[in-house]
Amino acid sequence: MSTQQDLPPSGDGLFRTKTVEQSIRDTEEPEHALRKSLSALDLTVFGVGVIIGTGIFVLTGKVAKETAGPATAIAFVAAGVVCALAALCYAEFASTVPVAGSAYTFAYASLGELVAWIIGWDLVLEFALGTAVVAVGWSGYVRSLMDNAGWHLPDALSGPDVADGFGFDILAFVLVLVLTVILVLGMKLSARVTTVVVAIKVTVVLIVIIAGLFFIDTANYSPFIPKAQPQPSGSGLDAPLIQLIFGYEPTNFGVMGIFTAASVVFFAFIGFDVVATAAEETKVPQRDMPRGIMASLFICTALYVAVSIVVTGMQHYTELSVSAPLADAFKAVGHPFYAGVISFGAAVGLTTVCMILLLGQTRVFFAMSRDGLLPRFFSKTHPRFRTPYRPTILLGVLIAVIAGFTSINELATLVNIGTLFAFVVVALGVIVLRRTRPDLHRAFRTPWVPLVPILSVAASVWLMLNLPAETWLRFGIWMVIGVIIYFAYGRGHSRVSRTRV
């Protein structure tokens, strides 16, 4: 067994780093080791499973009708390019530092402990809210299917958005608890469940694409890029931060409208970075991590573009539904059967999104605990399943309660800003680690460094600036709370700090 004294940390104070070798040695300690069972196919399935969610079923119509028209397909490509820039940076780190924790672990190895804590704290919020939001969305789809079958839940058990007064979303609560049990039982079981569900989800999407091709009217593509229109001005904290700071007002439609749309549909891609949290549980991470990250992103971008082309061809963009564009487009052409198929696919698909977001959060929490920044009690793995069962159970129960009691649609944007912030940190980390540790073996190297990381930072910051100022305020409050906890507990209990002589 290795010890922390084997290799001293570098740096001083708040920006001391944990070496790559030290991070890898920690994964070999029997009580804190995760089982390696995942392949490149498993990682790709995880990526597709978490990326394809409500975005493909909802955002397409909203963006086409309000922002980009048929050019929504180009907006998806632009958003995919932004994610690809970040994915190249994630791929280098995940193959070089195959340790649980994703951006948190990468930041610890390159930018220092305080930055690592901040990004870890950010990811805990991102994945927790993401899991809860998705669970509530899943519950809505399932209730809709139940209503179609003549089964009705009492309003009091349908969540605060439905009930008049007190409401508890029993479906969302139970879903998170069931997924928690699956994650405790092992990654291979999680991968098998995900594979089955993703197969169903992708099949439904392909059915929609193929069936929709027969109802396309090319006249609906004219104009492909509608004439630019000024976007309604926001006010106060509801306005995008870029408007408050620079006076820039985004436009709807036109060429610039495509980029405005890209900042919206980007959120349909959120989740691919979760694949990197499973690096420590991958059989050959140096080879399989880059493949899994890039393959899942490419597959989802292709599906998103195809869906947007089909739906804007079936119905003119001015007539698209905002709440259920695909289902309503099929109803408009006289085929309501497909609306039910789409609802079923959405409900099934959200199951994997919820599970993989929960998986990502538990791995970040586990990594922070193993480093001593959170209580070490949570870094013990199950003696049989080799999973981080303690944080999985704790977080699973907490998120189940949040999903059951809370209406958190307004907080969903915190997931977006958290993801973009992680992109910025990882991109900067690639540049720093290339300079500080040029000797490291990199199975995958981000091309054109520092150009690609710099472009990734610029694109991510641009999208962050397009988020409401209120989102920035909430994010800032969460970060302040995190910094207080770090100085009150994490800094003094850090294992890296205790190894210094």
Side-chain angles (χ1 to χ4, degrees):
M1 182 191 304
S2 64
T3 65
Q4 288 287 320
Q5 284 75 20
D6 290 330
L7 191 62
S10 60
D12 294 299
L14 302 178
F15 299 101
R16 55 194 172 220
T17 59
K18 182 179 181 183
T19 64
V20 173
E21 293 85 352
Q22 188 176 3
S23 294
I24 294 175
R25 289 186 184 189
D26 282 352
T27 69
E28 298 168 356
E29 297 179 352
E31 288 187 336
H32 308 283
L34 300 172
R35 176 172 293 163
K36 297 181 182 296
S37 60
L38 301 179
S39 65
L41 178 60
D42 293 326
L43 295 173
T44 301
V45 170
F46 272 139
V48 174
V50 73
I51 296 172
I52 296 182
T54 51
I56 199 170
F57 299 106
V58 176
L59 279 181
T60 304
K62 176 179 176 62
V63 170
K65 185 171 185 176
E66 300 177 357
T67 313
T72 297
I74 301 177
F76 272 116
V77 172
V81 169
V82 173
C83 290
L85 292 172
L88 290 170
C89 298
Y90 269 89
E92 174 169 324
F93 259 127
S95 61
T96 307
V97 194
V99 178
S102 185
Y104 159 76
T105 299
F106 306 157
Y108 215 155
S110 57
L111 301 176
E113 185 173 279
L114 178 60
V115 178
W117 166 267
I118 290 174
I119 194 64
W121 187 246
D122 161 54
L123 291 174
V124 167
L125 174 71
E126 173 194 340
F127 293 149
L129 290 182
T131 305
V133 168
V134 172
V136 172
W138 175 88
S139 174
Y141 277 108
V142 172
R143 287 199 308 272
S144 176
L145 291 172
M146 291 173 63
D147 290 343
N148 290 341
W151 305 334
H152 305 285
L153 281 176
D155 288 348
L157 295 178
S158 298
D161 285 334
V162 177
D164 183 12
F166 173 82
F168 181 76
D169 195 331
I170 186 66
L171 293 177
F173 177 80
V174 170
L175 172 67
V176 176
L177 291 185
V178 170
L179 296 179
T180 297
V181 173
I182 293 174
L183 289 175
V184 168
L185 293 179
M187 279 296 288
K188 199 60 186 176
L189 175 61
S190 304
R192 288 170 180 164
V193 171
T194 303
T195 300
V196 172
V197 175
V198 168
I200 295 173
K201 176 165 56 176
V202 172
T203 299
V204 169
V205 173
L206 291 176
I207 289 174
V208 170
I209 293 171
I210 295 171
L213 289 174
F214 293 95
F215 304 108
I216 287 179
D217 181 355
T218 55
N220 290 328
Y221 292 133
S222 180
F224 190 77
I225 302 179
K227 185 179 179 180
Q229 300 175 8
Q231 205 177 79
S233 299
S235 60
L237 294 179
D238 291 334
L241 189 64
I242 191 173
Q243 181 177 329
L244 296 180
I245 296 177
F246 302 107
Y248 168 80
E249 297 190 16
T251 62
N252 288 337
F253 307 110
V255 174
M256 292 307 297
I258 294 174
F259 293 101
T260 302
S263 69
V264 178
V265 300
F266 163 81
F267 305 128
F269 289 90
I270 283 179
F272 83 85
D273 55 316
V274 180
V275 175
T277 66
E280 192 174 326
E281 294 158 276
T282 304
K283 295 176 183 177
V284 189
Q286 293 78 6
R287 179 196 67 195
D288 294 341
M289 263 291 150
R291 292 180 180 179
I293 292 174
M294 300 306 296
S296 59
L297 186 58
F298 175 80
I299 291 171
C300 293
T301 301
L303 291 176
Y304 281 177
V305 170
V307 166
S308 62
I309 290 175
V310 166
V311 73
T312 54
M314 290 177 63
Q315 202 172 14
H316 197 267
Y317 74 92
T318 57
E319 300 174 355
L320 284 173
S321 160
V322 172
S323 59
L326 294 184
D328 290 346
F330 276 104
K331 289 180 181 177
V333 295
H335 289 272
F337 165 78
Y338 290 103
V341 173
I342 292 167
S343 295
F344 173 74
V348 171
L350 290 181
T351 306
T352 57
V353 177
C354 192
M355 182 171 73
I356 298 168
L357 286 174
L358 181 59
L359 162 73
Q361 189 195 33
T362 58
R363 270 45 179 183
V364 172
F365 199 95
F366 168 78
M368 297 174 73
S369 172
R370 188 165 57 188
D371 289 333
L373 300 181
L374 291 171
R376 289 271 290 171
F377 170 82
F378 295 108
S379 65
K380 293 283 183 70
T381 55
H382 194 281
R384 178 182 174 188
F385 304 121
R386 311 309 304 172
T387 55
Y389 68 106
R390 289 174 176 175
T392 301
I393 293 172
L394 171 68
L395 296 170
V397 171
L398 286 177
I399 294 172
V401 172
I402 292 172
F405 280 110
T406 313
S407 176
I408 51 180
N409 291 332
E410 292 184 2
L411 297 180
T413 53
L414 282 172
V415 180
N416 308 330
I417 195 170
T419 299
L420 289 164
F421 181 59
F423 286 4
V424 171
V425 170
V426 170
L428 293 175
V430 167
I431 298 174
V432 172
L433 203 62
R434 284 284 187 96
R435 288 183 173 273
T436 58
R437 293 298 307 275
D439 58 302
L440 282 176
H441 171 68
R442 293 169 168 83
F444 177 89
R445 297 177 67 88
T446 304
W448 304 310
V449 173
L451 178 60
V452 167
I454 289 174
L455 289 175
S456 179
V457 170
S460 298
V461 169
W462 170 259
L463 294 182
M464 291 173 74
L465 289 173
N466 278 277
L467 292 172
E470 185 176 14
T471 299
W472 281 83
L473 178 62
R474 289 171 173 169
F475 182 67
I477 292 172
W478 178 257
M479 288 295 104
V480 169
I481 294 172
V483 170
I484 292 173
I485 293 175
Y486 171 73
F487 282 103
Y489 180 90
R491 188 183 184 193
H493 291 80
S494 166
R495 296 184 74 200
V496 169
S497 69
R498 294 184 177 189
T499 63
R500 303 192 66 83
V501 284

